Amino acid sequence: MSGRRAALAFWLFVGPFAAGLLAFTYVPIGWSAYLSFFDARNTVTPTEFVGLGNYADVLTDRAFLDSIGTFTVFAAFVIPTTVVLALALALLVNQVRVARAFFRSVFFLPFACSYVVASLVWKMSLFSGVDSGVANTALGWFGGQPQAWVGTVDPPLYWVVLVTARLWLQLGFYMILFIAALQRIPAHLYEAAWTDGASPRWQTFRHVTLPGLRGALVAVLTLNLINAYQAFDEFYNILGDSRGYPPFARPPLVYLYYTSLGSGGQDLGRGSAGAVVLALVIALATLLSGRVLRRAG
Amino acid sequence: MRPPGYHRTPAGRVGAVARWAALVVAAALFLLPFAVLVRDGLGTGWSTAAEVFSGEEIPFARSLLNSTVVAVLQTAGQLLLCSLAGYGLARVPYRHAPLVLRAIVATLMVPTAVTFVPSFVVVSSLGWLSDLRGLVVPGLFSALNVFLFRQYFLDFPVSLEEAGRLDGLSRWGVFRRVVVPNSTGFFAAIAVIDFIGSWNQFLWPLVIAQDSSTWTVQVALSSLLTAQNPKIALLFAAAAVSILPIVLVFALLQRYLVRGVTETGLTG
């Protein structure tokens, strides 16, 4: 096949996708970078160049820095619990002899549920502030006082609602990844370990299972980090109501949403600057965590 | 794994019982939200469910239709565009193919949700706000799917393709008549993931569907939830109806879903 014919065939296959990627990923990123240097309030074709003004605004904006803080708190709650619990579920499901498919399906099913529906169930039923709410009923069994949950800021009980909702939604997904990785560990490694006198529980886990899961652990941590960074749906639906969104607990995307598209006026220049900074932060965090994890392994 | 015969030792028996107890408790906790949804959503009788459809609160039936159209078009479009691109990248010996692949994979570094402000800018200047095109088209170009299809096609048996060439099929003919029919499992895995993702997405339709006639079901539910004095029974009935299609997909196609999750999670 000649070079020109290969080029033609290649672009017939790849062209439609490449054109779309150009139009809906590359152009937006470029346009956004351009807007970030202009005063772009309520317009997408601005004329007033402001240099790094939008960046200075964003980086000195208390709300923006708070959004990074909110993400950090959220990630600190969600990531370790997800890794430990997803791995625990995977080990349990993988070892059980009866009804394995049933348990796997039960833990995996919430993955198919939307964040909006989960927010609704969590806010209106499980963690509703009324005495008959599920969490308050359970508290009552142990002699605890009913709580307002979503409305409780001191101590910030809304974190319990946000974190448990996300755990329920995503644990099954990560469990499936761990199960796949567990089943890829060759059986002869276990047999060799027992022959060498390794204890069937802890030592086997420490020296065979855990090393075999290294790749999956890196994948789970990275995906978890990126997903937590993009949290929006449950925050918006659980904490927001007819009066709007409270001034606290705004992760980066909630901040961006209210800055660039919210009712307070569309400041697309500032929103774009925020998006550029956030993209750089997550790219850096992903690269760093990947490098650290690989070296640790 | 455990040594053979370990489950008959005392330690093994205790372990087995403890595992069972843990699994049963965990399963009960995982099913609780669904039980609540069914109890509060459908337990009040079909009249509430009927009221959701006929009610003036929100255009619920319309939003279900919109979600169906968006999810079907997005799934079909992604499969078509991404499988073609993945095949071209895997099989056509074009000089600059590695460069194109790098340009595609590089976009994976940029989280899609961080680009929602810039994408909103592009879509609104196209005049696609509150428009089906604005909901569907920008989501069609998944770099991750292209990458997954390419990896899959690299492992596709070349001998099958060569047999097709000997039968006089063109490159396109080989793709359509040999490669696709022998890859239905992989296509189904990607399709199930795409469909669920599309049905459940919230931020993008929230931003684009500003007119209530273009709301998807998630946006409609959210507007009920964040309204003043939400009607609980109505809310739960609507939510229960909204997850029915997905539960159906899950029940019938779980095998493909598991494969899709494993591919997207561990390859990406």
Side-chain angles (χ1 to χ4, degrees), chain A residues 1 6-7 9-11 13-14 16-17 20-21 23-29 31-32 35 44 89 92-93 95-98 103-114 116-117 119-126 134 168 171 173 176-177 180 184 187 190 194 200-201 216 219 223 229-230 232-233 236-237 240-242 253 256-257 260-261 266 268 271-272 275 278-279 282-283 287, chain B residues 1-4 6-7 11 15 19-20 22-24 26-27 30-34 36-37 39-40 81-82 84-85 87-89 92-94 97 100 103-104 107 110-122 125-126 128 137-138 141-143 146 171 175 196 200 202-203 206-207 218 221-222 225-228 230 232 235-236 239 242-243 246 250 254 257-258 261-262 265-266:
Chain A
M1 188 143 95
F10 180 83
W11 287 113
F13 277 104
V14 183
F17 174 83
L21 192 72
F24 293 102
T25 302
Y26 275 98
V27 167
I29 292 173
W31 197 335
S32 187
L35 283 181
V44 293
L89 286 178
L92 283 170
V93 168
Q95 282 169 12
V96 77
R97 286 148 179 268
V98 186
F103 285 118
R104 193 187 65 173
S105 300
V106 166
F107 300 139
F108 189 36
L109 184 58
F111 171 75
C113 184
S114 79
V116 179
V117 169
S119 301
L120 191 155
V121 173
W122 254 246
K123 184 181 187 176
M124 292 299 169
S125 182
L126 295 186
V134 176
W168 181 73
L171 275 177
F173 171 80
I176 295 286
L177 296 189
R184 284 179 200 174
Y190 285 98
W194 300 325
R201 281 187 189 171
L223 286 173
Y229 198 66
Q230 308 195 58
F232 177 85
D233 300 6
Y236 179 92
N237 286 296
D241 57 28
S242 60
L253 280 191
L256 270 189
Y257 175 80
S260 42
L261 307 169
Q266 300 190 344
L268 292 169
S272 296
L278 290 171
I282 190 64
L287 277 176
Chain B
M1 272 184 76
R2 292 285 184 262
Y6 177 77
H7 61 277
R19 273 201 299 280
W20 255 95
L23 277 171
V24 170
F30 270 74
L31 289 175
L32 178 68
F34 287 114
V36 165
L37 196 56
R39 184 197 67 186
D40 295 353
L81 289 164
C82 301
L84 282 173
Y87 189 72
L89 286 162
V92 182
Y94 172 53
V100 176
I104 293 172
T107 64
V110 186
T112 42
V114 173
T115 61
F116 86 89
V117 175
S119 302
F120 171 82
V121 169
V122 167
S125 24
L126 287 170
W128 286 1
V137 177
F141 308 98
S142 159
V146 169
R171 195 175 281 282
F175 178 73
I196 292 180
N200 286 343
F202 175 64
L203 176 56
L206 174 72
V207 168
Q218 308 298 341
L221 283 176
S222 173
L225 177 61
T226 53
Q228 222 164 358
I232 309 277
L235 200 52
F236 277 88
S242 82
I243 66 166
I246 292 297
F250 186 89
Q254 193 189 157
L257 184 58
V258 169
V261 160
T262 317
L266 291 182

Side-chain angles (χ1 to χ4, degrees), chain A residues 7-69:
Chain A
L8 181 67
F10 180 83
W11 287 113
L12 282 177
F13 277 104
V14 183
F17 174 83
L21 192 72
L22 201 64
F24 293 102
T25 302
Y26 275 98
V27 167
I29 292 173
W31 197 335
S32 187
Y34 172 81
L35 283 181
S36 71
F37 296 109
F38 285 83
D39 179 2
R41 267 173 289 187
N42 302 311
T43 174
V44 293
T45 49
T47 49
E48 197 191 326
F49 183 76
V50 294
L52 293 173
N54 286 319
Y55 288 91
D57 281 353
V58 161
L59 290 172
T60 53
D61 183 357
R62 189 67 227 203
F64 179 78
L65 301 175
D66 281 348
S67 80
I68 305 271

